[in-house]
Amino acid sequence: MPDERSPAGAPGAQASRRRAALPPDVVASLRAAFEQEVRRRVPRLCRLQRDVPGRAVLVQAQRDAHSLASSAVVVGEAEAARCARALEGALEQCLLQPFAPLPPEVLAQAERLAGLLDAWLRR
Amino acid sequence: MTAPGADPAPVGVVVVDDSAVQRRFLRAAVEADADFCVVGEARNGREAVAMVGRLHPGAVLMDLDLPVMSGLEAIERIMSSSPTPILVYSAFVDRGNQVNALEALAAGAVDVLAKPGPADTGSLEEYAEALRRKLRVAARVRVITHPRGRLRSQGMTAPAPAAATGSRLSLRPSGPEPRDTGGSPVRLIAVGASTGGPQALLTLLGQLPADLEQAVLVVQHMADGFMGGLASWLDGLVPLPVCVGESGRRLTPGTVTLAPSRSNLLVQDDRLRILCVPPPAGQFHIPGIDVTFSSVALALRSRAIGVILTGMGRDGAAGLLAMRQQGALTLGQNEATSAVYGMPAAAHALAAVDRQLALADLAPAVLRALGRVPA
């Protein structure tokens, strides 16, 4: 494997070319993107409460939970990230039995995640 | 041409993630180093393959869990058509999910990096620096056309497999014990059939030799009470022994096991233990093919072959897609030879089928994939 020196040669040789990471405007844009993601994905998770979900709904819900978990980490919302990751794992089990009523604890997890993210939106 | 002493052009990077938050973060993290420039953003594996072919970037940052086309499939395709250094970053390549990391590397990725998770305590800036460090190394790796992708593009199976998807089944945490998938042979042939199935099964199973080393699992939609009869009928006509599966037992190599009536059959693990569970209320087709195929995808990943035969409806299509996304070879019966071109058509429409073949050509394709010469 090649070493990890900069392409120009010696370590740090191009340090001056590197800009500071994650300036405030980037952080702000990340939060804006997360807000859009929350507004798009959370309503779909809330649909789990309504009917007995089929496979496609479960797959989408799991994808939503997965994305929200990773994105919440990026914006520093650790609790929401943990909740989303737990929901994602629970939905994985549900996928083995699509068209079965979701266990109450899964629905509660979805509701809790929606609540956490709703609170984030209001902040 | 770069003038002597001038800074070299930055390395173009394509970022692939279905989350806008992640793409934005990655762009910021990468472009914090002036040696790199994000030249494209793709939201799924298919976009990524097209974008890399068009833009010829110097490196790709690839998530694994992608819609439309999984990251692993995209890696294989890129490495077979436009070899490019790929750094995988995913929530599913951490210590608890080493199989995914191994599969990404087996597919041709240069390196992997776990996305920061809820339990991580490091800062985003630290993660961004780790990402750049890995990217700097990855971008300098000279990559070549990857054999797995080349084999798959020719419709052949490859030694080691992988996953991913649109369905996300490929990328779930796999538990504390990593599975040995590298170069493992196929363990199971899973077959789904419905209307017209018994005759099709006779043709397919009739061409499988008595010394087959793989287990064969058949899920045939059938009214309650007839499965034993189907097993007896097939057992008398095909070279392999045929039985009806029982919950708690293992599938046996060289034996055809039919999923029992009145339940769904799940393959629990790579030791081929099976579990028969009552179908949920409202399930139309029993035993369900989707449920079984999905369990096979999870338990065996690429070490299985999926075959969808004639039948009405669409049961089996989603499960077969899950298998394909895990790297399994998937075959579908073609329209011309299907009694009812419903399930195979649904699977084909979902892009769950690697190859669509005439009924008589399915078993030879299976045998060739197993490295055997068809009779």
Side-chain angles (χ1 to χ4, degrees):
Chain A
M1 287 284 280
D3 66 28
E4 297 194 7
R5 296 189 304 178
S6 69
Q14 300 198 343
S16 61
R17 296 184 63 194
R18 298 201 185 108
R19 298 182 287 270
L22 302 188
D25 63 315
V26 171
V27 174
S29 75
L30 289 173
R31 293 179 66 85
F34 185 59
E35 180 178 336
Q36 286 179 7
E37 197 162 303
V38 168
R39 291 191 189 283
R40 191 174 76 252
R41 296 186 189 273
V42 170
R44 285 201 293 251
L45 288 177
C46 292
R47 264 183 246 154
L48 291 174
Q49 310 280 351
R50 272 192 247 149
D51 306 310
V52 174
R55 181 173 185 82
V57 172
L58 288 174
V59 167
Q60 182 61 57
Q62 196 189 30
R63 177 170 297 287
D64 288 331
H66 171 74
S67 289
L68 287 168
S70 294
S71 299
V73 172
V74 172
V75 296
E77 293 299 312
E79 191 179 356
R82 277 192 294 272
C83 186
R85 194 65 88 212
L87 176 62
E88 180 189 2
L91 287 168
E92 172 69 24
Q93 297 303 311
C94 298
L95 268 167
L96 291 175
Q97 285 288 317
F99 304 106
L102 288 181
E105 59 270 24
V106 176
L107 294 173
Q109 232 154 6
E111 194 170 357
R112 179 162 178 268
L113 177 60
L116 285 168
L117 294 174
D118 185 57
W120 182 85
L121 286 175
R122 291 169 194 276
R123 285 208 295 270
Chain B
M1 187 172 169
T2 305
D7 287 335
V11 175
V13 178
V14 163
V15 166
V16 189
D17 200 303
D18 62 324
S19 162
V21 176
Q22 296 293 337
R23 292 197 304 273
R24 204 165 293 194
F25 166 65
L26 291 167
R27 177 181 278 274
V30 167
E31 292 190 338
D33 186 334
D35 290 334
F36 292 110
C37 170
V38 174
V39 294
E41 295 183 7
R43 293 166 298 179
N44 59 58
R46 187 178 295 167
E47 283 185 7
V49 174
M51 196 172 281
V52 170
R54 197 171 63 248
L55 300 176
H56 302 292
V60 177
L61 275 174
M62 175 84 76
D63 189 14
L64 289 181
D65 198 6
L66 297 169
V68 184
M69 179 192 288
S70 75
L72 281 167
E73 185 175 349
I75 292 169
E76 287 189 350
R77 287 176 186 259
I78 289 169
M79 296 310 292
S80 69
S81 57
S82 315
T84 307
I86 298 174
L87 172 59
V88 166
Y89 68 98
S90 168
F92 297 113
V93 293
D94 58 12
R95 286 180 188 170
N97 299 278
Q98 292 175 12
V99 169
N100 291 322
L102 293 171
E103 288 183 346
L105 295 171
V110 171
D111 204 351
V112 296
L113 178 65
K115 280 183 180 176
D120 287 328
T121 54
S123 71
L124 268 189
E125 287 78 6
E126 287 169 339
Y127 180 77
E129 179 49 41
L131 185 77
R132 286 189 292 272
R133 199 163 49 240
K134 290 240 180 198
L135 189 60
R136 281 195 287 274
V137 175
R140 283 180 284 159
V141 173
R142 184 171 171 272
V143 290
I144 58 170
T145 304
H146 200 262
R148 171 129 58 105
R150 203 164 54 226
L151 286 172
R152 288 174 69 89
S153 70
Q154 294 167 2
M156 300 162 66
T157 52
T165 119
S167 156
R168 323 187 0 124
L169 294 173
S170 67
L171 297 167
R172 299 304 98 191
S174 55
E177 292 296 325
R179 296 178 195 143
D180 173 18
T181 58
S184 297
V186 169
R187 306 275 311 281
L188 175 67
I189 301 159
V191 183
S194 186
T195 315
Q199 282 297 335
L201 287 170
L202 183 58
T203 301
L204 175 71
L205 300 176
Q207 296 177 79
L208 299 180
D211 62 347
L212 191 77
E213 294 173 353
Q214 288 71 27
V216 181
L217 173 60
V218 173
V219 184
Q220 163 73 51
H221 293 160
M222 185 150 284
D224 187 12
F226 289 90
M227 206 61 80
L230 176 65
S232 297
W233 180 67
L234 287 170
D235 188 60
L237 295 172
V238 304
L240 295 166
V242 182
C243 65
V244 178
E246 294 176 38
S247 198
R249 306 194 73 153
R250 292 185 188 183
L251 299 174
T252 310
T255 298
V256 178
T257 302
L258 304 186
S261 308
R262 290 191 293 181
S263 62
N264 288 330
L265 184 150
L266 305 176
V267 177
Q268 289 188 286
D269 52 35
D270 60 3
R271 291 185 294 164
L272 305 183
R273 284 185 305 162
I274 60 173
L275 180 68
C276 299
V277 297
Q283 180 176 316
F284 189 68
H285 293 298
I286 301 168
I289 304 171
D290 271 335
V291 173
T292 300
F293 278 5
S294 297
S295 72
V296 170
L298 278 172
L300 291 169
R301 299 173 182 259
S302 65
R303 291 179 294 173
I305 294 173
V307 183
I308 190 83
L309 296 177
T310 173
M312 199 175 294
R314 41 188 314 112
D315 189 24
L320 197 68
L321 178 62
M323 288 183 66
R324 184 170 187 238
Q325 287 165 339
Q326 294 284 9
L329 172 68
T330 57
L331 304 174
Q333 188 174 352
N334 68 5
E335 182 172 13
T337 61
S338 290
V340 179
Y341 188 58
M343 295 187 332
H348 185 63
L350 264 186
V353 178
D354 281 315
R355 299 181 69 192
Q356 196 167 228
L357 297 168
L359 176 60
D361 295 330
L362 289 169
V366 168
L367 293 174
R368 276 192 295 272
L370 298 174
R372 301 186 60 147
V373 179

